[in-house]
Amino acid sequence: PLEEYLPPRAQQDLRRDLASRIIGAERRRYEGSVLSVDSLLEAPPGRVPLSVIYLGHISDFTEQSLVLAQICADIYRWMRRKGGAGGLRMLLYVDEVGGGDGRYAFYPSAPYNPPSKAPLALIVKQGRSAGVGTLLATQNPVSVDVRALGNVSTWGVGRLTRKNDLDRVGDLLETL
């Protein structure tokens, strides 16, 4: 009997969790075509492909980070399969890469290490040789691992409104 393994409250929570995965918006996670980089880059002749993967509907940061990690891992495998390139084949744009004072950032400075950091760092470091450009955007520059961005050839720093943000980013840029 189920009661031997799960108390009634846990059973109810489990039923609710399972039901939420097969009805409503959550169900969409399990429908649709398989995500592949090749399918993201498909476009009719003469058209430029544009694929947007929106993670805002996922409320849990860890789940968002896992999805971004999977996308970056797929891009890395695609890069390895395609080999080197002389020009840009793909641009990966990640908005809001920093946030939550590093705790909820996709590419944070130490001591935080979400699932998205290592695969994203791999794309930043090795993407250029395979024709994959990376554009990372944030409103919280001090939440991003600036030291790890040494391979970035172009930086754009907008207006920093807080003195400590300006000082910290300035100090980090001087060390590169």
Side-chain angles (χ1 to χ4, degrees):
L2 188 57
E3 290 77 24
E4 290 181 23
Y5 300 100
L6 288 175
R9 176 73 178 157
Q11 290 178 36
Q12 183 180 8
D13 291 344
L14 179 61
R15 278 190 213 97
R16 187 179 310 117
D17 187 41
L18 291 173
S20 73
R21 295 181 190 279
I22 60 172
I23 60 172
E26 286 289 317
R27 188 180 85 193
R28 298 221 182 263
R29 288 187 187 189
Y30 307 103
E31 295 178 349
S33 58
V34 175
L35 179 65
S36 75
V37 177
D38 289 322
S39 68
L40 294 175
L41 297 176
E42 289 177 1
R47 299 285 194 164
V48 175
L50 174 65
S51 299
V52 176
I53 301 171
Y54 177 71
L55 303 179
H57 66 286
I58 303 172
S59 58
D60 182 57
F61 170 73
T62 303
E63 288 187 27
Q64 288 179 345
S65 186
L66 286 167
V67 170
L68 180 58
Q70 183 63 52
I71 292 166
C72 289
D74 289 348
I75 291 172
Y76 182 73
R77 283 190 290 276
W78 176 85
M79 287 172 20
R80 300 285 296 187
R81 194 173 69 245
K82 292 291 185 181
L88 188 65
R89 289 192 233 181
M90 170 195 292
L91 177 66
L92 172 65
Y93 169 70
V94 182
D95 194 13
E96 298 298 338
V97 75
D101 294 326
R103 185 173 318 242
Y104 298 108
F106 292 122
Y107 202 66
S109 54
Y112 305 110
N113 196 19
S116 58
K117 186 173 181 179
L120 192 53
L122 203 55
I123 302 281
V124 169
K125 290 178 183 176
Q126 297 182 13
R128 184 176 25 191
S129 65
V132 177
T134 310
L135 178 60
L136 306 175
T138 183
Q139 293 179 16
N140 303 313
V142 296
S143 296
V144 177
D145 191 356
V146 179
R147 287 189 180 101
L149 296 175
N151 291 338
V152 175
S153 61
T154 304
W155 287 59
V157 178
R159 196 183 81 177
L160 299 174
T161 57
R162 295 180 357 204
K163 182 172 177 2
N164 63 339
D165 288 351
L166 182 61
D167 292 342
R168 185 161 177 210
V169 170
D171 292 343
L172 290 171
L173 289 174
E174 286 177 5
T175 62
L176 293 177

